């Protein structure tokens, strides 16, 4: 089994961010809605760390995604300070922090799907692997949009900060487009690094 030093270091960053995020957030309901993926993923990763430890690259990507979610949970996506800084720097019409969040929503599921497909021997490293990994990311993005719709139906105006539409009627379409672009870009740009990180698992190592 690979060393747990780096995963534990990344976990400490995520848990530290979670503690900070929990203290006096802008809206408590929004915090729960935004942080829920982290609260679900952490126990799953802990339960499977011995039977299916993730590659270093994927662990780092997941940690970055979790921090992104927890920062958004604390401020709400529409009011995140770093988003305002980017908005002012590029003279944008809206706070773009949620756009980055949806790019990450494409990157993480695509790399996770790729890793599972390769290490479980479901697919070879070819065009089908790229295509189906992107499909998984898009399916996850669509599912998340359905969850946002369900939250809006259940909580009404109280879920406004969770939706983070900021008056954009095409927000859902932008979210899914950015998830698709994030997934495709990650598989293309990080594919070689990801392949090397997975070699220790696909050449007789942990599975």
């Amino acid at each position: 089994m690979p060393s747990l030093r780096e995963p534990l270091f990344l976990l400490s960053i995520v848990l530290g961010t979670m503690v900070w995020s929990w203290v006096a957030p802008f809206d408590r309901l929004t915090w729960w809605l935004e942080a829920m993926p982290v609260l679900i993923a952490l126990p799953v990763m802990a339960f499977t760390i011995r039977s299916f430890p993730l590659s270093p690259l994927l662990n780092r990507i997941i940690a970055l995604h979790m921090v992104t979610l927890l920062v958004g949970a604390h401020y709400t996506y529409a009011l995140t300070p770093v988003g305002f800084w980017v908005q002012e720097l590029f003279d944008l019409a809206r706070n773009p922090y949620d756009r980055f969040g949806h790019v990450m929503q494409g990157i993480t599921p695509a790399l996770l799907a790729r890793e599972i497909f390769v290490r479980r021997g479901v697919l070879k490293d070819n065009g089908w692997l790229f295509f189906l990994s992107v499909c998984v990311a898009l399916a996850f993005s669509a599912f998340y949009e359905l969850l946002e719709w369900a939250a809006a139906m259940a909580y009404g105006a109280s879920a406004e900060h969770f939706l983070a539409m900021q008056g954009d009627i095409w927000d859902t379409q932008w979210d899914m487009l950015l998830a698709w672009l994030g997934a495709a870009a990650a598989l293309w740009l990080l594919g070689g690094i990801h392949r090397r990180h997975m070699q220790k698992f696909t050449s007789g190592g942990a599975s």
Side-chain angles (χ1 to χ4, degrees):
M1 180 177 174
S3 171
L4 294 180
R5 180 176 300 178
E6 182 175 318
L8 289 176
F9 173 71
L10 295 172
L11 177 62
S12 69
I13 293 176
V14 171
L15 292 179
T17 306
M18 183 182 295
V19 171
W20 163 82
S21 177
W22 170 260
V23 177
F26 181 85
D27 179 73
R28 184 59 68 187
L29 174 62
T30 300
W31 190 93
W32 281 108
L33 293 173
E34 298 290 5
M36 191 58 64
V38 180
L39 300 176
I40 294 173
L42 282 177
V44 172
M45 292 176 67
F47 183 74
T48 60
I49 195 168
R50 293 191 178 276
S51 60
F52 195 83
L54 301 177
S55 66
L57 175 66
L58 187 53
N59 274 324
R60 295 165 194 169
I61 291 293
I62 290 174
L64 175 60
H65 195 171
M66 288 180 172
V67 168
T68 301
L69 289 169
L70 292 169
V71 171
H74 181 80
Y75 291 110
T76 78
Y77 279 91
L79 301 176
T80 302
V82 67
F84 284 130
W85 178 78
V86 174
Q87 180 182 4
E88 182 177 353
L89 181 64
F90 293 101
D91 193 26
L92 302 176
R94 72 197 295 279
N95 188 317
Y97 187 80
D98 68 313
R99 303 300 198 204
F100 174 69
H102 283 280
V103 170
M104 291 301 304
Q105 193 182 83
I107 293 173
T108 306
L111 290 177
L112 177 60
R114 184 177 192 262
E115 185 149 328
I116 293 173
F117 287 154
V118 169
R119 289 175 53 191
R120 291 303 189 191
V122 177
L123 291 168
K124 295 182 179 180
D125 197 348
N126 54 28
W128 279 108
L129 179 64
F130 184 98
F131 174 72
L132 291 176
S133 297
V134 170
C135 286
V136 169
L138 274 175
F140 183 84
S141 178
F143 176 69
Y144 201 82
E145 295 301 324
L146 290 174
L147 290 180
E148 289 187 347
W149 170 70
M153 295 293 290
Y155 298 107
S158 299
E160 178 181 354
H161 294 297
F162 175 57
L163 299 179
M165 294 181 66
Q166 301 182 66
D168 185 356
I169 62 172
W170 304 111
D171 185 68
T172 297
Q173 288 75 19
W174 273 111
D175 291 348
M176 295 182 67
L177 172 64
L178 290 169
W180 171 62
L181 292 174
L187 293 170
W188 180 49
L189 296 173
L190 300 177
I193 300 173
H194 193 205
R195 187 179 301 110
R196 289 193 296 273
H197 280 216
M198 287 192 293
Q199 283 177 349
K200 66 179 67 176
F201 302 104
T202 56
S203 58
S207 61

